[in-house]
Amino acid sequence: MTDRPIVVVRGEVVREVPPEIARFTATVSARDRDRRAALARLAERAEAVRALIDGYGDAIERRETGQLWVRPELKRSGEKVTGYAASATTTVTVTDFGVLGELMLRLADQDQTTVAGPWWELRPDSPAYREARRAAVGAAFDRAREYAEALDVEVSALIQLSDTGTGAQPMMALAGHGMAYRAADAGLPELELDPRPQTVQTAVEARFEITPPRIPGR
């Protein structure tokens, strides 16, 4: 271990960056007294949702089935079955925000379909994380130099650098003003969505060796 003095600093960066993808869910439901009829309706509606989504081509990065459930409906007392209810949820990942509002409205216009979202996100390997980490390291070096200047010494070596974490939180957007999306089907209203900026926060802790300060009177 060095006998020279050490300065310990923290470099932190908080940035807002545009989202890269948006996710939303579309849930179709069906209900009938007959179980097979309920399942047939569910399959028909799920296929209509898939076909509509697939019609947007490269604007859709991923379409995947999430929760699927089928349950009997019973009388308030006893176990007599009065009907069957079923639902299937599809999660959609969109990269072209220019069609997002239109797609969500068209899905919401389908029979017995519930749409929720969007949730704006960055990709796990987004360059925004790498750029934030670089900036945090630079901030740590700058802070160390500031302390060194205050002591009238120099930073001579980096001893240790540790990453305290990088993160961004997916955010749900509300209808608002900004980017407007016009529904292609006649009769559907316009929906305006604002892609919500993602907050990227990263921090590092660094230990630097500095030249010995000159202590007055010694």
Side-chain angles (χ1 to χ4, degrees):
M1 181 177 293
T2 179
D3 293 330
R4 290 196 173 187
I6 294 173
V7 60
V8 181
V9 296
R10 178 182 175 90
E12 187 171 8
V13 170
V14 179
R15 291 179 172 177
E16 286 193 344
V17 298
E20 296 169 343
I21 57 176
R23 301 184 196 274
F24 70 89
T25 60
T27 302
V28 293
S29 302
R31 179 177 281 103
D32 198 276
R33 289 180 179 273
D34 181 75
R35 178 172 54 192
R36 290 191 175 182
L39 295 177
R41 288 181 184 177
L42 180 69
E44 180 181 353
R45 290 166 183 167
E47 179 57 34
V49 164
R50 284 195 296 270
L52 198 161
I53 294 169
D54 290 346
Y56 282 80
D58 292 340
I60 308 302
E61 180 175 284
R62 181 178 297 177
R63 166 179 57 77
E64 51 193 343
T65 301
Q67 186 179 33
L68 169 68
W69 59 262
V70 181
R71 61 177 172 81
E73 295 184 321
L74 308 177
K75 281 191 171 183
R76 292 185 179 180
S77 60
E79 296 184 356
K80 184 176 181 179
V81 177
T82 60
Y84 293 87
S87 76
T89 298
T90 299
T91 301
V92 186
T93 303
V94 180
T95 57
D96 183 355
F97 301 158
V99 302
L100 179 59
E102 173 187 313
L103 173 57
M104 293 183 69
L105 278 185
R106 292 184 64 189
L107 287 170
D109 197 44
Q110 299 294 300
D111 192 26
Q112 296 296 315
T113 302
T114 301
V115 177
W119 292 272
W120 309 97
E121 301 177 23
L122 294 174
R123 299 180 189 280
D125 60 349
S126 172
Y129 296 123
R130 180 172 61 254
E131 293 168 3
R133 288 191 291 267
R134 288 178 177 270
V137 171
F141 270 88
D142 289 342
R143 180 166 293 186
R145 291 190 186 100
E146 290 174 3
Y147 283 122
E149 290 175 2
L151 293 169
D152 195 23
V153 298
E154 294 181 354
V155 175
S156 57
L158 172 64
I159 298 175
Q160 181 180 352
L161 180 68
S162 60
D163 188 347
T164 61
T166 302
Q169 296 297 322
M171 306 295 289
M172 177 179 283
L174 303 177
H177 297 286
M179 301 176 66
Y181 310 103
R182 184 178 300 277
D185 292 354
L188 288 179
E190 290 186 11
L191 177 65
E192 294 183 355
L193 297 176
D194 294 323
R196 189 164 186 174
Q198 300 297 288
T199 301
V200 177
Q201 182 173 359
T202 187
V204 297
E205 291 184 355
R207 292 173 175 266
F208 293 93
E209 180 183 290
I210 59 175
T211 56
R214 182 176 178 278
I215 301 177
R218 294 188 60 181

